[in-house]
Each structure stands twice: as structure tokens, then as C-alpha cells.
Coordinates of all heavy atoms in Angstrom, one line a residue:
M27 N -28.1 -1.7 63.3 CA -29.4 -2.3 63.8 C -30.6 -1.4 63.6 O -30.4 -0.2 63.7 CB -29.3 -2.6 65.3 CG -28.6 -3.9 65.6 SD -29.4 -4.7 67.0 CE -28.2 -6.1 67.3
K28 N -31.7 -1.9 63.2 CA -32.9 -1.1 63.0 C -33.5 -0.8 64.3 O -33.4 -1.5 65.3 CB -33.8 -1.8 62.1 CG -33.2 -2.3 60.8 CD -33.2 -1.2 59.7 CE -32.8 -1.8 58.4 NZ -32.8 -0.8 57.3
T29 N -34.3 0.3 64.3 CA -35.0 0.7 65.5 C -36.5 0.3 65.5 O -37.1 0.3 66.5 CB -34.9 2.2 65.8 OG1 -35.4 2.9 64.7 CG2 -33.5 2.6 66.1
I30 N -37.0 0.0 64.3 CA -38.3 -0.5 64.2 C -38.3 -1.8 63.4 O -37.5 -2.0 62.6 CB -39.3 0.5 63.6 CG1 -38.9 0.9 62.2 CG2 -39.5 1.7 64.4 CD1 -39.9 1.7 61.4
C31 N -39.3 -2.7 63.7 CA -39.4 -3.9 63.0 C -39.6 -3.7 61.6 O -40.5 -2.9 61.2 CB -40.5 -4.8 63.7 SG -40.9 -6.2 62.7
Q32 N -38.9 -4.3 60.7 CA -39.0 -4.1 59.3 C -40.1 -5.0 58.6 O -40.2 -5.1 57.4 CB -37.7 -4.4 58.6 CG -36.5 -3.5 59.0 CD -36.9 -2.0 58.6 OE1 -37.1 -1.7 57.4 NE2 -37.0 -1.2 59.6
S33 N -41.0 -5.5 59.5 CA -42.2 -6.2 59.0 C -43.5 -5.5 59.5 O -44.3 -5.2 58.7 CB -42.2 -7.6 59.5 OG -43.4 -8.2 59.3
C34 N -43.5 -5.2 60.8 CA -44.8 -4.6 61.3 C -44.6 -3.1 61.7 O -45.6 -2.4 61.9 CB -45.3 -5.4 62.5 SG -44.3 -5.3 64.0
G35 N -43.4 -2.6 61.8 CA -43.2 -1.2 62.2 C -43.2 -0.9 63.6 O -43.1 0.3 64.0
M36 N -43.3 -1.9 64.5 CA -43.3 -1.7 65.9 C -41.9 -1.4 66.4 O -40.9 -1.9 65.8 CB -43.9 -2.9 66.7 CG -45.3 -3.1 66.4 SD -46.4 -1.7 66.9 CE -47.6 -1.8 65.7
P37 N -41.7 -0.6 67.5 CA -40.4 -0.3 68.0 C -39.7 -1.6 68.4 O -40.3 -2.5 69.0 CB -40.7 0.6 69.2 CG -42.0 1.1 69.0 CD -42.8 0.1 68.2
L38 N -38.4 -1.7 68.0 CA -37.6 -2.9 68.4 C -36.8 -2.6 69.6 O -36.0 -1.7 69.7 CB -36.6 -3.2 67.2 CG -37.1 -4.0 66.1 CD1 -36.0 -4.2 65.1 CD2 -37.7 -5.4 66.6
L39 N -37.0 -3.4 70.6 CA -36.2 -3.3 71.8 C -35.5 -4.7 72.0 O -35.9 -5.6 71.4 CB -37.2 -3.1 73.0 CG -38.1 -1.9 72.8 CD1 -39.3 -1.9 73.8 CD2 -37.4 -0.6 72.8
N40 N -34.6 -4.7 72.9 CA -33.8 -6.0 73.0 C -34.7 -7.2 73.4 O -34.5 -8.3 73.0 CB -32.7 -5.8 74.0 CG -31.5 -5.2 73.3 OD1 -31.3 -5.3 72.1 ND2 -30.7 -4.5 74.1
H41 N -35.7 -6.9 74.2 CA -36.6 -8.0 74.6 C -37.5 -8.5 73.6 O -38.1 -9.6 73.7 CB -37.3 -7.7 75.9 CG -38.4 -6.7 75.7 ND1 -38.3 -5.3 75.9 CD2 -39.7 -6.9 75.4 CE1 -39.5 -4.8 75.6 NE2 -40.3 -5.7 75.3
N42 N -37.8 -7.8 72.5 CA -38.7 -8.3 71.5 C -38.0 -8.4 70.2 O -38.7 -8.6 69.1 CB -40.0 -7.4 71.4 CG -39.7 -6.1 70.7 OD1 -38.6 -5.7 70.5 ND2 -40.8 -5.4 70.4
R43 N -36.7 -8.4 70.1 CA -36.0 -8.5 68.9 C -35.9 -10.0 68.5 O -35.5 -10.8 69.4 CB -34.6 -7.9 69.1 CG -34.0 -7.4 67.8 CD -32.6 -6.8 68.2 NE -32.7 -5.4 68.6 CZ -32.7 -4.3 67.8 NH1 -32.6 -4.5 66.5 NH2 -32.7 -3.1 68.3
A44 N -36.3 -10.4 67.3 CA -36.3 -11.8 67.0 C -34.9 -12.4 66.8 O -34.0 -11.7 66.5 CB -37.1 -12.0 65.7
V45 N -34.8 -13.6 67.1 CA -33.6 -14.4 67.0 C -33.4 -14.9 65.6 O -34.3 -15.4 65.0 CB -33.6 -15.5 68.0 CG1 -32.3 -16.4 67.8 CG2 -33.6 -15.0 69.4
E46 N -32.2 -14.7 65.0 CA -31.9 -15.1 63.7 C -31.0 -16.4 63.7 O -30.0 -16.4 64.4 CB -31.1 -14.0 62.9 CG -30.8 -14.3 61.5 CD -31.7 -13.6 60.5 OE1 -31.7 -12.4 60.6 OE2 -32.4 -14.3 59.8
Q47 N -31.5 -17.5 63.1 CA -30.7 -18.7 63.1 C -30.3 -19.2 64.5 O -29.3 -19.8 64.6 CB -29.5 -18.6 62.2 CG -29.7 -17.9 60.9 CD -30.4 -18.8 59.9 OE1 -30.7 -19.9 60.2 NE2 -30.8 -18.2 58.8
G48 N -31.1 -18.8 65.5 CA -30.8 -19.4 66.8 C -29.7 -18.8 67.6 O -29.5 -19.1 68.7
T49 N -28.8 -17.9 66.9 CA -27.7 -17.4 67.7 C -27.7 -15.9 67.7 O -27.6 -15.3 68.8 CB -26.4 -17.9 67.1 OG1 -26.4 -17.8 65.7 CG2 -26.1 -19.3 67.5
F50 N -27.8 -15.2 66.6 CA -27.7 -13.8 66.5 C -29.1 -13.1 66.6 O -30.1 -13.7 66.1 CB -27.1 -13.4 65.2 CG -25.7 -13.9 65.0 CD1 -25.5 -15.0 64.2 CD2 -24.6 -13.4 65.7 CE1 -24.2 -15.5 64.0 CE2 -23.4 -13.9 65.6 CZ -23.2 -15.0 64.7
L51 N -29.1 -12.0 67.2 CA -30.3 -11.1 67.1 C -30.4 -10.6 65.7 O -29.4 -10.2 65.1 CB -30.2 -10.0 68.1 CG -30.1 -10.3 69.6 CD1 -29.8 -9.1 70.4 CD2 -31.4 -11.0 70.0
S52 N -31.6 -10.8 65.1 CA -31.7 -10.4 63.7 C -31.5 -8.9 63.5 O -30.9 -8.5 62.5 CB -33.1 -10.8 63.2 OG -34.0 -9.8 63.4
G53 N -31.9 -8.1 64.4 CA -31.7 -6.7 64.3 C -32.7 -6.0 63.4 O -32.7 -4.8 63.2
R54 N -33.6 -6.8 62.8 CA -34.5 -6.2 61.8 C -36.0 -6.5 62.1 O -36.8 -5.7 61.7 CB -34.2 -6.8 60.4 CG -32.9 -6.4 59.8 CD -32.9 -6.3 58.3 NE -33.2 -7.6 57.7 CZ -33.3 -7.7 56.4 NH1 -33.3 -6.6 55.6 NH2 -33.5 -8.9 55.8
Y55 N -36.2 -7.6 62.8 CA -37.6 -7.9 63.0 C -37.9 -8.2 64.5 O -37.1 -8.6 65.2 CB -38.0 -9.2 62.2 CG -37.7 -9.0 60.7 CD1 -36.7 -9.7 60.1 CD2 -38.5 -8.2 59.9 CE1 -36.5 -9.5 58.7 CE2 -38.3 -8.0 58.6 CZ -37.3 -8.7 58.0 OH -37.0 -8.5 56.6
C56 N -39.2 -8.1 64.8 CA -39.6 -8.3 66.2 C -40.0 -9.8 66.3 O -40.2 -10.5 65.3 CB -40.8 -7.4 66.6 SG -42.4 -7.9 66.0
D57 N -40.2 -10.3 67.5 CA -40.4 -11.7 67.7 C -41.9 -12.1 67.4 O -42.2 -13.2 67.5 CB -40.0 -12.1 69.1 CG -40.7 -11.3 70.2 OD1 -41.6 -10.5 69.9 OD2 -40.4 -11.5 71.4
K58 N -42.7 -11.1 67.1 CA -44.1 -11.4 66.7 C -44.1 -11.7 65.2 O -45.1 -12.4 64.7 CB -45.1 -10.3 67.0 CG -45.2 -10.1 68.5 CD -46.6 -9.4 68.8 CE -46.8 -9.5 70.3 NZ -45.7 -9.0 71.1
C59 N -43.2 -11.2 64.5 CA -43.1 -11.4 63.0 C -42.2 -12.5 62.6 O -42.4 -13.1 61.5 CB -42.7 -10.1 62.4 SG -43.8 -8.7 62.6
Y60 N -41.1 -12.7 63.3 CA -40.0 -13.5 62.8 C -39.5 -14.4 64.0 O -39.4 -14.0 65.1 CB -38.9 -12.5 62.4 CG -37.9 -13.0 61.5 CD1 -38.1 -13.0 60.1 CD2 -36.6 -13.4 62.0 CE1 -37.1 -13.4 59.3 CE2 -35.6 -13.8 61.1 CZ -35.9 -13.8 59.8 OH -34.9 -14.2 58.9
D61 N -39.2 -15.6 63.6 CA -38.7 -16.5 64.6 C -37.7 -17.5 64.0 O -38.1 -18.2 63.0 CB -39.8 -17.2 65.3 CG -39.3 -18.1 66.5 OD1 -38.4 -17.7 67.2 OD2 -39.9 -19.2 66.7
N62 N -36.5 -17.7 64.5 CA -35.6 -18.7 64.1 C -35.4 -18.7 62.6 O -35.4 -19.8 62.0 CB -36.1 -20.1 64.7 CG -34.9 -21.0 64.9 OD1 -33.8 -20.6 64.9 ND2 -35.2 -22.3 65.0
G63 N -35.1 -17.6 62.0 CA -34.7 -17.6 60.6 C -35.9 -17.5 59.6 O -35.6 -17.4 58.4
C64 N -37.1 -17.4 60.1 CA -38.2 -17.2 59.1 C -39.4 -16.4 59.6 O -39.5 -16.3 60.8 CB -38.6 -18.5 58.5 SG -39.3 -19.6 59.7
F65 N -40.2 -15.9 58.7 CA -41.3 -15.2 59.2 C -42.3 -16.1 59.8 O -42.5 -17.2 59.3 CB -42.0 -14.4 58.0 CG -41.2 -13.2 57.6 CD1 -40.6 -13.2 56.4 CD2 -41.1 -12.1 58.4 CE1 -39.8 -12.1 56.0 CE2 -40.4 -11.0 58.1 CZ -39.7 -11.0 56.8
I66 N -43.0 -15.7 60.9 CA -43.9 -16.6 61.5 C -45.2 -16.8 60.6 O -45.6 -18.0 60.4 CB -44.4 -16.0 62.9 CG1 -43.2 -16.1 63.8 CG2 -45.6 -16.7 63.4 CD1 -43.3 -15.3 65.1
D67 N -45.7 -15.8 60.0 CA -46.8 -15.9 59.0 C -46.2 -15.5 57.6 O -46.2 -14.4 57.3 CB -47.9 -15.0 59.4 CG -49.2 -15.3 58.6 OD1 -49.0 -16.0 57.5 OD2 -50.2 -14.8 58.9
R68 N -45.8 -16.5 56.9 CA -45.1 -16.3 55.6 C -46.1 -15.8 54.5 O -45.6 -15.2 53.6 CB -44.4 -17.5 55.1 CG -43.0 -17.6 55.6 CD -42.3 -18.8 55.1 NE -42.2 -19.8 56.1 CZ -41.5 -20.9 56.0 NH1 -40.9 -21.2 54.9 NH2 -41.5 -21.8 57.0
D69 N -47.3 -16.1 54.7 CA -48.3 -15.7 53.6 C -48.9 -14.3 53.9 O -49.8 -13.9 53.1 CB -49.4 -16.8 53.6 CG -48.9 -18.1 53.2 OD1 -47.9 -18.1 52.4 OD2 -49.4 -19.1 53.6
L70 N -48.5 -13.7 55.0 CA -49.1 -12.4 55.3 C -48.8 -11.4 54.2 O -47.7 -11.3 53.7 CB -48.5 -11.9 56.6 CG -49.2 -10.8 57.4 CD1 -50.5 -11.4 58.0 CD2 -48.3 -10.2 58.4
S71 N -49.8 -10.6 53.8 CA -49.6 -9.6 52.8 C -49.5 -8.3 53.5 O -49.8 -8.1 54.7 CB -50.7 -9.6 51.8 OG -51.9 -9.0 52.4
I72 N -49.0 -7.3 52.7 CA -48.9 -5.9 53.3 C -50.3 -5.4 53.7 O -50.4 -4.7 54.7 CB -48.2 -4.9 52.4 CG1 -47.9 -3.6 53.1 CG2 -48.9 -4.7 51.1 CD1 -46.9 -2.7 52.4
D73 N -51.3 -5.8 53.0 CA -52.7 -5.4 53.4 C -53.1 -6.0 54.7 O -53.8 -5.4 55.5 CB -53.7 -5.7 52.3 CG -53.5 -4.8 51.1 OD1 -53.1 -3.6 51.3 OD2 -53.7 -5.2 49.9
D74 N -52.7 -7.3 54.9 CA -53.1 -8.0 56.1 C -52.4 -7.2 57.3 O -53.0 -7.0 58.3 CB -52.6 -9.4 56.1 CG -53.4 -10.2 55.1 OD1 -54.5 -9.9 54.8 OD2 -52.8 -11.2 54.6
M75 N -51.1 -6.9 57.0 CA -50.3 -6.3 58.1 C -50.9 -4.9 58.4 O -50.9 -4.5 59.6 CB -48.8 -6.2 57.7 CG -47.9 -5.6 58.7 SD -47.9 -6.5 60.3 CE -46.7 -7.8 59.9
K76 N -51.3 -4.2 57.4 CA -51.9 -2.9 57.6 C -53.1 -3.0 58.5 O -53.3 -2.2 59.4 CB -52.3 -2.3 56.2 CG -52.5 -0.8 56.2 CD -53.1 -0.3 55.0 CE -52.3 -0.6 53.7 NZ -52.9 -0.1 52.5
K77 N -54.0 -4.0 58.2 CA -55.2 -4.2 59.0 C -54.9 -4.5 60.4 O -55.5 -3.9 61.4 CB -56.0 -5.4 58.4 CG -57.0 -4.9 57.4 CD -57.8 -6.1 56.9 CE -57.9 -6.0 55.3 NZ -58.1 -7.3 54.7
I78 N -53.9 -5.3 60.7 CA -53.5 -5.7 62.0 C -53.0 -4.5 62.7 O -53.3 -4.2 63.9 CB -52.4 -6.8 62.0 CG1 -53.0 -8.1 61.4 CG2 -51.8 -7.0 63.4 CD1 -51.9 -9.1 61.1
G79 N -52.1 -3.7 62.1 CA -51.5 -2.5 62.7 C -52.5 -1.5 63.0 O -52.5 -0.9 64.1
L80 N -53.4 -1.2 62.1 CA -54.4 -0.2 62.3 C -55.4 -0.6 63.4 O -55.8 0.3 64.2 CB -55.2 0.1 61.0 CG -54.4 0.8 59.9 CD1 -55.3 0.9 58.6 CD2 -53.8 2.1 60.3
T81 N -55.7 -1.8 63.5 CA -56.5 -2.3 64.6 C -55.8 -2.1 65.9 O -56.4 -1.6 66.9 CB -56.9 -3.8 64.4 OG1 -57.5 -4.0 63.2 CG2 -57.8 -4.3 65.5
H82 N -54.6 -2.4 65.9 CA -53.7 -2.2 67.1 C -53.7 -0.8 67.6 O -53.9 -0.4 68.7 CB -52.3 -2.8 66.9 CG -51.4 -2.7 68.0 ND1 -51.5 -3.6 69.0 CD2 -50.4 -1.8 68.4 CE1 -50.5 -3.3 69.9 NE2 -49.9 -2.2 69.6
I83 N -53.5 0.1 66.6 CA -53.4 1.6 66.9 C -54.8 2.0 67.4 O -54.9 2.8 68.4 CB -53.0 2.3 65.6 CG1 -51.6 2.0 65.2 CG2 -53.2 3.8 65.8 CD1 -51.2 2.4 63.8
K84 N -55.9 1.6 66.8 CA -57.2 2.0 67.3 C -57.5 1.6 68.7 O -58.2 2.3 69.4 CB -58.3 1.5 66.3 CG -58.4 2.2 65.0 CD -59.4 1.6 64.1 CE -59.3 2.1 62.7 NZ -59.9 1.2 61.7
K85 N -57.0 0.4 69.0 CA -57.3 -0.1 70.4 C -56.3 0.4 71.4 O -56.6 0.2 72.6 CB -57.2 -1.6 70.3 CG -58.4 -2.3 69.8 CD -58.5 -3.7 70.2 CE -58.5 -4.7 69.0 NZ -58.2 -6.0 69.2
S86 N -55.2 0.9 71.0 CA -54.1 1.3 72.0 C -54.6 2.3 72.9 O -55.1 3.4 72.5 CB -52.9 1.7 71.2 OG -51.9 2.2 72.1
K87 N -54.4 2.1 74.2 CA -54.8 3.1 75.2 C -53.6 4.0 75.5 O -53.8 5.0 76.2 CB -55.2 2.4 76.5 CG -56.4 1.6 76.4 CD -56.9 1.0 77.7 CE -58.2 0.3 77.6 NZ -58.2 -0.9 76.7
D88 N -52.4 3.8 74.9 CA -51.3 4.6 75.2 C -51.3 5.9 74.3 O -50.4 6.7 74.4 CB -50.0 3.9 74.9 CG -49.9 2.7 75.8 OD1 -50.4 2.7 76.9 OD2 -49.2 1.7 75.4
L89 N -52.2 5.9 73.3 CA -52.1 7.0 72.3 C -53.3 8.0 72.6 O -54.4 7.6 72.8 CB -52.3 6.5 70.9 CG -51.2 5.5 70.4 CD1 -51.7 4.9 69.1 CD2 -49.9 6.3 70.2
S90 N -52.9 9.3 72.6 CA -53.9 10.3 72.7 C -54.7 10.4 71.4 O -54.3 9.8 70.4 CB -53.3 11.7 73.0 OG -52.5 12.1 71.9
G91 N -55.8 11.1 71.4 CA -56.6 11.2 70.2 C -55.8 11.7 69.0 O -55.9 11.2 67.9
L92 N -55.1 12.8 69.2 CA -54.3 13.4 68.1 C -53.3 12.5 67.6 O -53.1 12.2 66.4 CB -53.7 14.7 68.5 CG -52.9 15.4 67.4 CD1 -53.7 15.8 66.2 CD2 -52.2 16.7 68.0
R93 N -52.5 11.9 68.5 CA -51.4 11.0 68.1 C -52.0 9.7 67.4 O -51.4 9.3 66.4 CB -50.7 10.6 69.4 CG -49.5 9.7 69.1 CD -48.3 10.0 70.1 NE -47.3 8.9 70.0 CZ -46.5 8.8 69.0 NH1 -46.5 9.6 68.0 NH2 -45.6 7.8 69.0
R94 N -53.1 9.3 67.9 CA -53.7 8.1 67.2 C -54.1 8.5 65.8 O -53.9 7.7 64.8 CB -55.0 7.7 68.0 CG -55.6 6.4 67.6 CD -57.0 6.2 68.2 NE -57.0 6.6 69.6 CZ -56.9 5.7 70.6 NH1 -56.7 4.5 70.4 NH2 -56.9 6.2 71.8
A95 N -54.7 9.7 65.6 CA -55.1 10.1 64.2 C -53.9 10.2 63.3 O -53.9 9.8 62.2 CB -55.8 11.5 64.3
V96 N -52.8 10.7 63.8 CA -51.6 10.8 63.1 C -51.0 9.4 62.7 O -50.7 9.2 61.6 CB -50.5 11.6 63.8 CG1 -49.1 11.5 63.2 CG2 -50.9 13.1 64.0
M97 N -51.0 8.5 63.7 CA -50.5 7.2 63.5 C -51.4 6.4 62.4 O -50.8 5.7 61.6 CB -50.6 6.4 64.8 CG -49.5 6.7 65.8 SD -47.9 6.2 65.2 CE -48.0 4.4 65.4
L98 N -52.7 6.7 62.4 CA -53.6 6.0 61.5 C -53.2 6.4 60.0 O -53.4 5.6 59.1 CB -55.0 6.2 61.8 CG -55.6 5.6 63.1 CD1 -57.0 6.0 63.4 CD2 -55.5 4.0 62.9
V99 N -52.8 7.6 59.9 CA -52.5 8.1 58.5 C -51.0 7.7 58.2 O -50.8 7.2 57.1 CB -52.5 9.7 58.5 CG1 -52.0 10.2 57.2 CG2 -54.0 10.1 58.7
Y100 N -50.2 7.7 59.2 CA -48.7 7.5 58.9 C -48.4 6.0 58.8 O -47.5 5.6 58.0 CB -48.0 8.1 60.1 CG -46.5 7.9 60.1 CD1 -45.7 8.6 59.1 CD2 -45.8 7.1 61.0 CE1 -44.4 8.4 59.0 CE2 -44.4 6.9 60.9 CZ -43.7 7.6 60.0 OH -42.4 7.4 59.9
Y101 N -49.1 5.2 59.5 CA -48.8 3.7 59.5 C -48.7 3.1 58.1 O -47.7 2.4 57.8 CB -49.7 3.0 60.5 CG -49.3 1.5 60.7 CD1 -48.2 1.2 61.4 CD2 -50.0 0.5 60.1 CE1 -47.8 -0.1 61.6 CE2 -49.7 -0.8 60.3 CZ -48.6 -1.1 61.0 OH -48.2 -2.4 61.2
P102 N -49.8 3.2 57.3 CA -49.7 2.6 56.0 C -48.5 3.1 55.1 O -47.9 2.4 54.4 CB -51.0 3.0 55.3 CG -51.9 3.3 56.5 CD -51.0 3.9 57.5
L103 N -48.2 4.4 55.3 CA -47.0 5.0 54.5 C -45.7 4.4 55.0 O -44.8 4.1 54.3 CB -47.0 6.5 54.7 CG -48.3 7.2 54.3 CD1 -48.2 8.7 54.6 CD2 -48.5 7.0 52.8
M104 N -45.6 4.2 56.3 CA -44.4 3.7 56.9 C -44.2 2.2 56.5 O -43.1 1.8 56.2 CB -44.5 3.8 58.5 CG -43.3 3.2 59.2 SD -43.6 3.2 61.0 CE -44.8 1.9 61.1
L105 N -45.3 1.4 56.5 CA -45.3 0.0 56.2 C -44.6 -0.2 54.8 O -43.8 -1.1 54.6 CB -46.7 -0.6 56.1 CG -47.2 -1.3 57.3 CD1 -48.5 -2.0 56.9 CD2 -46.2 -2.3 58.0
K106 N -45.0 0.7 53.9 CA -44.5 0.5 52.5 C -43.0 0.6 52.4 O -42.4 0.2 51.4 CB -45.2 1.6 51.6 CG -46.6 1.1 51.1 CD -47.0 2.1 50.0 CE -47.9 3.1 50.5 NZ -48.4 4.0 49.5
R107 N -42.4 1.3 53.4 CA -41.0 1.5 53.3 C -40.2 0.5 54.0 O -38.9 0.5 54.0 CB -40.6 2.9 53.9 CG -41.2 4.1 53.0 CD -40.4 5.3 53.2 NE -40.3 5.7 54.6 CZ -41.1 6.6 55.2 NH1 -42.0 7.1 54.6 NH2 -40.9 6.8 56.5
L108 N -40.8 -0.4 54.7 CA -40.1 -1.4 55.5 C -39.5 -2.5 54.6 O -40.0 -2.8 53.5 CB -41.0 -2.1 56.5 CG -41.6 -1.1 57.5 CD1 -42.6 -1.8 58.4 CD2 -40.5 -0.4 58.3
D109 N -38.4 -3.1 55.0 CA -37.6 -4.1 54.2 C -38.5 -5.2 53.7 O -38.4 -5.6 52.5 CB -36.5 -4.7 55.0 CG -35.4 -3.7 55.3 OD1 -35.4 -2.6 54.7 OD2 -34.4 -4.1 56.0
R110 N -39.4 -5.7 54.6 CA -40.2 -6.9 54.2 C -41.1 -6.6 53.0 O -41.4 -7.5 52.2 CB -41.1 -7.4 55.4 CG -41.9 -8.6 55.0 CD -42.6 -9.2 56.2 NE -43.3 -10.4 55.8 CZ -44.1 -11.1 56.7 NH1 -44.3 -10.7 57.9 NH2 -44.7 -12.2 56.2
W111 N -41.5 -5.4 52.8 CA -42.5 -5.0 51.8 C -41.8 -4.3 50.7 O -42.5 -3.7 49.8 CB -43.6 -4.2 52.4 CG -44.1 -4.8 53.7 CD1 -44.0 -4.2 55.0 CD2 -44.8 -6.0 53.9 NE1 -44.5 -5.1 55.9 CE2 -45.0 -6.2 55.3 CE3 -45.2 -7.0 53.0 CZ2 -45.7 -7.3 55.8 CZ3 -45.8 -8.1 53.6 CH2 -46.1 -8.3 54.9
T112 N -40.5 -4.2 50.7 CA -39.8 -3.5 49.6 C -39.1 -4.5 48.8 O -38.1 -5.1 49.2 CB -38.8 -2.5 50.2 OG1 -39.4 -1.7 51.2 CG2 -38.2 -1.6 49.2
P113 N -39.5 -4.8 47.6 CA -38.9 -5.9 46.8 C -37.4 -5.6 46.5 O -37.0 -4.4 46.3 CB -39.6 -5.8 45.4 CG -40.9 -5.1 45.7 CD -40.6 -4.2 46.9
G114 N -36.6 -6.6 46.7 CA -35.2 -6.5 46.4 C -34.4 -6.0 47.6 O -33.1 -6.1 47.6
S115 N -35.0 -5.7 48.7 CA -34.1 -5.3 49.9 C -34.1 -6.5 50.8 O -35.1 -7.0 51.3 CB -34.7 -4.1 50.6 OG -35.5 -4.5 51.7
K116 N -32.9 -7.0 51.0 CA -32.7 -8.2 51.9 C -31.6 -7.9 52.9 O -30.7 -7.2 52.6 CB -32.3 -9.4 51.1 CG -33.5 -10.1 50.4 CD -33.9 -11.3 51.2 CE -35.2 -11.9 50.7 NZ -36.4 -11.3 51.0
Ligands
ZN219 ZN1 -42.7 -7.1 63.8

């Protein structure tokens, strides 16, 4: 099982892990990205996801200034390595 969502990069916990085909926990995606066997927003591009993620990081009150700065740099790099945005990984 993955520890971060392979679409948006958010930490995966049991309560936000998306359901695959109605029975199994997918283990790969969170419930904001994936539901019942498919992506919720199928037309989303990696650039769209990057914008959403960076906005979320900028607004997050849980991050200190330094951690936020690190996340803003790290997030786009991390996104590129996730299964959803890596051609051929299924
Ligand atoms: Zn996600």
C-alpha cells in the first residue's frame, strides 16, 4: 500500500483512502481524487493538480514558513513521480 495519494500527493490514511470497485481499498489514491474505480476529475492535467496543490500549501495553517517554502519547491517534483502522472505505471 502506498503512503501518499498517487494523484495529488497528500498523505493516505484509512479514512481518506479511496474505494476501488466498491469493495477493496485502492491503496493508491485518496477519496478526493478517486472514487468507485475511476478518477473523479478525469480531465485534470498535472499542471492543474500542481496549481491546486500549491494553493493548498500556501493556504495551509499547519505549515511553518520554512516548511511551506520547502513544500512549494518539493511538491511539483513529487507530483511528477506519482503513478497517475507517470506514463505506463498502472
Ligand atoms: Zn489524491
Side-chain angles (χ1 to χ4, degrees):
M27 278 215 187
K28 306 275 187 177
T29 55
I30 58 171
C31 172
Q32 295 299 300
S33 167
C34 69
M36 293 300 146
L38 275 181
L39 310 165
N40 278 335
H41 73 266
N42 73 347
R43 210 178 274 273
V45 173
E46 181 104 60
Q47 313 290 355
T49 44
F50 301 102
L51 295 173
S52 85
R54 294 213 293 178
Y55 302 110
C56 77
D57 57 6
K58 292 205 171 50
C59 295
Y60 199 84
D61 184 38
N62 208 15
C64 59
F65 288 111
I66 290 169
D67 187 348
R68 269 183 257 189
D69 298 326
L70 200 73
S71 71
I72 186 167
D73 287 328
D74 295 333
M75 184 59 85
K76 199 190 303 179
K77 271 181 222 154
I78 295 168
L80 291 178
T81 303
H82 183 78
I83 292 165
K84 283 177 195 159
K85 280 200 241 165
S86 173
K87 293 185 174 64
D88 301 331
L89 296 171
S90 68
L92 178 61
R93 185 146 165 74
R94 192 192 315 266
V96 170
M97 285 290 289
L98 289 174
V99 173
Y100 179 68
Y101 186 72
L103 302 175
M104 178 187 70
L105 264 192
K106 277 193 262 180
R107 296 207 304 264
L108 299 176
D109 289 355
R110 183 173 182 184
W111 314 113
T112 310
S115 96
K116 280 259 171 285

